[in-house]
Amino acid sequence: MEIKQNILDAVNEWLTPTFDNETQKEIIEIMTSSPKDLEESFYKNLEFGTGGMRGIMGAGNNRINKYTLGKSTQGLSDYMHKSFPNQSLKAVIAYDCRKNSNTLAKTVADVFSANGIAVYLFSDLRPTPELSFALKYLGCQCGIVLTASHNPPEYNGYKVYWEDGGQIVPPQDEGIINTIEKLNYNQIKFNANEDLIHYIDTEVDQAFIKSTIENASFGTSAEAKKNLNVVFTSLHGTSIKLVPDTLSKAGYSNVHLVPEQSVPDGNFPTVKSPNPEEPEALTMALALADKLNGDIVIGTDPDCDRLGVAVRNNEGAMTLLNGNQTMILMTAFLLKEWKKAGKINGKQFVGSTIVSTPMIMELATAYGVECKVGLTGFKWIAKMIKDFPELEFIGGGEESFGFMVGDAVRDKDAVAATLLVCEIAAQAKANGSTVYKELLQLYVEHGFYKEHLISITKKGMEGLAEINQMMVTMRNNPVKEINGQRVIMLEDYKSSVAKNLLTGEEETMNIPKADVLIYYTEDGSKICARPSGTEPKIKFYISVNTELDALENFTKVETILNNKIKNIIVSMQLN
């Protein structure tokens, strides 16, 4: 195949003495063995998405390696010196179980230190939420975590956090990216100042666990905690470092680990994907729960920011809850506890995202609490806390199995969320109920909302072009009808315009721009189209709802909603 000139130019730069011999050998090997892989490795620079920079490991400017991370860290160092003049600069770095994470983390530490920035580097792998906590605990201006969340084993990534403990948002993100893009690879300072690199572990761990227990415990009796039979799996990830200890110190002694998945391993040998959003990932945990008559199964992704939860349904069978259901349960529980403690006075809020269930707004309204809705990604929920200091943050979640309890950590946090869901389950069991029954009761009280996610994978350069074209087509030729229902509103987050398709009225949306389209139909259904910021996918989020008048009618009403979702999928040709 013919290789384009811009790719050849990039390849030739990487074959200069700026890059080490090992990197150059790898590139020459790709040139001879797979021109297609060469094109994929060099056709663009790796970009920051909703979760930072994430990509396949290997040589090239579109890959995760010491040079792409080194360049990003050099640009970040320059930006920090500019943003915090005459201050002693500090950064903290954590990493997960993925291949090369420890060596890449040391590279990042080297570059920071070479630029006169003191570095706190975790001595071993740690959960991502602990990085957010450590940033504020240690008084740092910046934090980095090396992780690719639940992506396949060949991926790694780089997430940047700012002094408030949240991921970077405007204007920092644009300023950092612009600084990075102006750099050449030969400007990276790789020669470490080892005197500025400090290794951290137990002290921060203990402070984080203490904070988590204080933040996510709600008066559950010791007996109720002891009686809850928990099965937990870390899916070969970082949560094994903290979650078992946190549950034990919080009083949960009846916790059973899946032994085959308790050893951190970036190959994730027992699962196709270490993603607790997918039922297959929890197969071993569910089998152990059935063997031990467990009440609840909890599994976390490799960097321990997301959690999957399975509970027993009304027939006694284990059922995996989706992310919308877990966020509804946790938000409702927090609101109930805050109200019981007399802490709700109209100056509180909960956070959600534009692709998550609208039911969260019904809950907030019922408790007289504001619900703020932002773009996908917890950095936007963290930004809400920063933007509205006069309001107290109760909790927030998104459909992709993430939740944040209070303000101790400004990112989705599966350590605190695991403890919180155990509190919910233990109290329900002590009261003769179950988590599942508590969820159904919420549907009766606030409306039955049912969501479904369609995720279409389009890999590589050609896949990216296909995804972009799908969004262009939907934007330029919006559908007027879905499943026999008129589309009454179209929200285009790229143009920041919400248009009433019946009246033609337009309204400007006060929210950062994003490549997202949301259709609302006259029967209250909501369909959102959004390219993923971290994976080669386009996602369609479908939400339908109706009333549930009694618990005994749940199955019948659920069937109606399931059929509506199926008809929407057919109508939009997503099957």
Side-chain angles (χ1 to χ4, degrees), residues 137-150:
Y137 179 77
L138 297 168
C140 298
Q141 291 91 354
C142 177
I144 303 290
V145 62
L146 279 295
T147 178
S149 188
H150 55 270

Side-chain angles (χ1 to χ4, degrees), residues 113-167:
S113 69
N115 283 276
I117 297 171
V119 179
Y120 295 95
L121 175 61
F122 278 99
S123 58
D124 197 1
L125 71 168
R126 289 296 189 280
T128 288
E130 187 175 5
L131 182 279
S132 173
F133 174 85
L135 201 161
K136 290 198 287 183
Y137 179 77
L138 297 168
C140 298
Q141 291 91 354
C142 177
I144 303 290
V145 62
L146 279 295
T147 178
S149 188
H150 55 270
N151 280 53
E154 64 269 23
Y155 280 77
N156 214 320
Y158 178 94
K159 290 168 72 172
V160 182
Y161 294 74
W162 212 233
E163 61 179 338
D164 67 314
Q167 291 181 55

